[in-house]
């Protein structure tokens, strides 16, 4: 963590033909923003100037720096990741814009892993344009997981009122059922539970797990995944002292307000979770990648090619992404401090004739945990 309260926020510029620079500029032009953090944009001064001129925002200034360690505290900073020949075609997905997006992401992730920046906030990319020999992933989430040395990721969409996580992410509908397994769902429930505790500060989170099929499968009439995969996964996770419940039929879960009774909702696939989430929280929604050793967030929208360069983009979600990244970083620091020197568990063994204090024995049916 950076010294003091000025967290270094690394920002990738995303697809330079979209609204990335617009939402970055609008966010960083907010009065007093530098008092909250130290922004470092991984981008291009020429691309920035192009968009700044198109948006008539000449009052937004940046310090050009060579490395994150040179960042000026509380001011806007920019690290060049492109050459002089910058090609911008507003509203167009191009090979160049894909290469430019990856150049920004690669440099920012390297600095993130080396602790040169504290958190990462990514502007939207075009998932097709960015494909190359170096980037062969469905999106940011999968790429970051591959960069995290064995950690397993979880996509969480959130705002102050709702948190929706996904078991599968960018998969065709035809492949979802075959991709699901009890072990995978249990794994995602565990990551979700730990993230709610560590990243969101909820000590005993309650998690709702959605079904895959209509009406939760109707006892196998409309599908067997609930009976064979999802319910056993929920039961196993609950047996591990995780407060998870379900599976709930997804169709009425959000409209009835049932989601308000839980701290998080685990959906089986992308649109099952994101369609209702974006209906409820489009402007304020944030995409957070949980389960990784570093913090990454992004706005919950795409490149906005149709409004690129028209000064119509709403930067609320991007601002919320920065605020969320800072909050998660601080929550992780507090969580680590809380559990740095935990009290040793003490048990009373009642299996024999005498009560014996055992400091090493695990939980079992014959032991009772003592509060200390």
């Amino acid at each position: 963590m950076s010294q003091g309260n000025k967290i270094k926020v690394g920002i990738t510029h995303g697809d330079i033909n979209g609204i990335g620079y617009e939402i970055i500029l609008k966010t960083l032009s907010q009065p007093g923003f530098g008092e909250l953090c130290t922004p470092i944009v991984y981008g291009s001064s020429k691309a920035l100037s192009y968009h700044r001129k198109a948006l008539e925002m000449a009052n937004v200034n940046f310090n050009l720096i060579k490395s994150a360690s040179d960042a000026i505290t509380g001011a806007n900073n920019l690290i060049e990741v492109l050459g002089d020949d910058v090609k911008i075609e507003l509203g167009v997905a191009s090979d160049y814009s894909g290469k430019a997006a990856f150049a920004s992401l690669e440099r920012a992730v390297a600095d993130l892993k080396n602790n040169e920046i504290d958190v990462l906030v990514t502007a939207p990319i075009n998932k097709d344009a960015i494909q190359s020999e170096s980037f062969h992933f469905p999106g940011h989430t999968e790429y970051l997981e591959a960069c995290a040395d064995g950690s397993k990721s979880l996509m969480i969409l959130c705002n102050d009122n709702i948190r929706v996580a996904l078991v599968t992410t960018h998969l065709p509908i035809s492949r979802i059922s075959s991709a699901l397994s009890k072990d995978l769902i249990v794994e995602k429930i565990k990551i979700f539970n730990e993230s709610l505790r560590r990243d969101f500060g909820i000590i005993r989170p309650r998690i709702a797990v959605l079904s895959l099929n209509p009406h939760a499968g109707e006892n196998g009439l409309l599908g067997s995944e609930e009976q064979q995969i999802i319910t056993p996964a929920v039961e196993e996770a609950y047996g591990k002292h995780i407060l998870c419940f379900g599976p709930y039929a997804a169709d009425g879960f959000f409209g009835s307000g049932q989601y308000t009774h839980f701290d998080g909702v685990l959906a089986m696939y992308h649109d099952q979770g994101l369609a209702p989430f974006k209906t409820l929280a489009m402007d304020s929604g944030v995409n957070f990648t949980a389960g990784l050793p570093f913090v990454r967030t992004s706005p919950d929208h795409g490149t906005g090619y149709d409004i690129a360069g028209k000064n119509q983009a709403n930067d609320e979600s991007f601002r919320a992404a920065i605020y969320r990244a800072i909050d998660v970083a601080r929550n992780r620091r507090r969580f680590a401090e809380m559990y740095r020197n935990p009290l040793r568990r003490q048990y009373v063994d009642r299996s024999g004739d005498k009560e014996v204090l055992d400091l090493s024995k695990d939980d079992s049916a014959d032991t009772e945990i003592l509060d200390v």
Side-chain angles (χ1 to χ4, degrees):
M1 188 70 63
S2 299
Q3 294 182 350
N5 294 320
K6 294 295 190 298
I7 291 176
K8 286 185 177 180
V9 179
I11 299 172
T12 61
H13 64 185
D15 193 298
I16 61 175
N17 293 339
I19 61 173
Y21 272 106
E22 180 174 341
I23 58 177
I24 290 171
L25 286 165
K26 286 181 175 179
T27 295
L28 299 188
S29 67
Q30 297 293 318
F33 200 83
E35 297 177 6
L36 177 66
C37 63
T38 300
I40 303 171
V41 177
Y42 292 80
S44 160
S45 57
K46 288 193 174 182
L48 187 147
S49 296
Y50 180 96
H51 285 273
R52 184 169 53 187
K53 182 177 180 180
L55 299 170
E56 298 181 351
M57 298 180 66
N59 61 324
V60 188
N61 298 314
F62 286 78
N63 301 296
L64 296 181
I65 58 176
K66 292 184 177 181
S67 68
S69 60
D70 299 327
I72 297 178
T73 302
N76 297 327
N77 301 273
L78 185 139
I79 294 177
E80 293 275 5
V81 298
L82 304 181
D84 293 332
D85 188 20
V86 178
K87 303 174 184 177
I88 298 177
E89 301 174 86
L90 291 178
V92 176
S94 68
D95 290 340
Y96 181 81
S97 68
K99 292 177 181 178
F102 180 69
S104 174
L105 179 63
E106 184 179 39
R107 175 66 186 275
V109 170
D111 282 359
L112 185 66
K113 293 179 68 176
N114 290 328
N115 297 316
E116 293 290 326
I117 54 177
D118 297 313
V119 298
L120 175 65
V121 180
T122 58
I125 60 172
N126 181 294
K127 295 176 178 60
D128 180 46
I130 198 173
Q131 297 299 313
S132 68
E133 291 184 0
S134 300
F135 190 100
H136 45 82
F137 304 90
H140 277 117
T141 302
E142 296 81 4
Y143 173 77
L144 291 167
E145 181 180 85
C147 294
D149 302 324
S151 297
K152 296 295 184 180
S153 68
L154 178 71
M155 182 186 292
I156 302 177
L157 278 292
C158 59
N159 69 359
D160 290 338
N161 301 314
I162 183 173
R163 304 165 197 90
V164 178
L166 306 178
V167 175
T168 62
T169 53
H170 302 107
L171 278 182
I173 292 292
S174 61
R175 292 173 51 194
I176 291 171
S177 178
S178 61
L180 294 176
S181 68
K182 186 190 75 170
D183 289 345
L184 176 63
I185 295 172
V186 170
E187 176 184 276
K188 298 299 183 182
I189 292 173
K190 288 180 178 178
I191 298 173
F192 200 10
N193 182 69
E194 182 64 13
S195 179
L196 290 170
R197 296 177 68 242
R198 181 186 179 203
D199 301 326
F200 293 89
I202 304 170
I203 301 303
R204 289 287 285 165
R206 297 157 299 173
I207 299 172
V209 180
L210 299 184
S211 63
L212 174 67
N213 298 298
H215 308 294
E218 290 281 16
N219 293 320
L221 179 65
L222 303 178
S224 60
E225 287 85 357
E226 285 74 20
Q227 293 175 313
Q228 297 179 3
I229 298 174
I230 303 175
T231 297
V234 172
E235 292 174 348
E236 180 175 325
Y238 191 86
K240 297 179 183 296
H241 310 294
I242 296 175
L243 297 180
C244 58
F245 308 90
Y248 295 97
D251 57 352
F253 185 82
F254 293 95
S256 66
Q258 199 170 4
Y259 71 92
T260 61
H261 300 296
F262 297 91
D263 300 299
V265 181
L266 183 66
M268 292 298 111
Y269 60 94
H270 187 278
D271 285 10
Q272 182 188 56
L274 268 59
F277 174 84
K278 291 188 177 183
T279 300
L280 294 167
M282 183 65 193
D283 289 337
S284 62
V286 173
N287 181 354
F288 166 55
T289 306
L292 303 183
F294 44 75
V295 178
R296 175 262 174 169
T297 63
S298 73
D300 70 346
H301 57 72
T303 56
Y305 284 148
D306 57 324
I307 58 172
K310 298 179 181 179
N311 203 7
Q312 297 177 4
N314 187 334
D315 65 315
E316 184 177 349
S317 179
F318 188 77
R319 276 189 285 117
I322 293 179
Y323 298 151
R324 178 62 61 187
I326 294 171
D327 286 345
V328 170
R330 290 175 175 168
N331 285 341
R332 286 189 177 185
R333 180 169 55 183
R334 283 193 288 265
F335 187 85
E337 291 172 352
M338 285 173 56
Y339 291 92
R340 179 168 296 144
N341 296 303
L343 291 172
R344 297 175 67 187
R345 285 184 174 182
Q346 297 185 10
Y347 301 87
V348 174
D349 189 342
R350 304 189 188 282
S351 60
D353 295 333
K354 296 182 180 180
E355 295 184 356
V356 179
L357 186 63
D358 188 344
L359 300 180
S360 61
K361 190 172 182 179
D362 293 331
D363 294 344
S364 73
D366 297 322
T367 61
E368 174 185 337
I369 300 177
L370 294 179
D371 292 327
V372 293

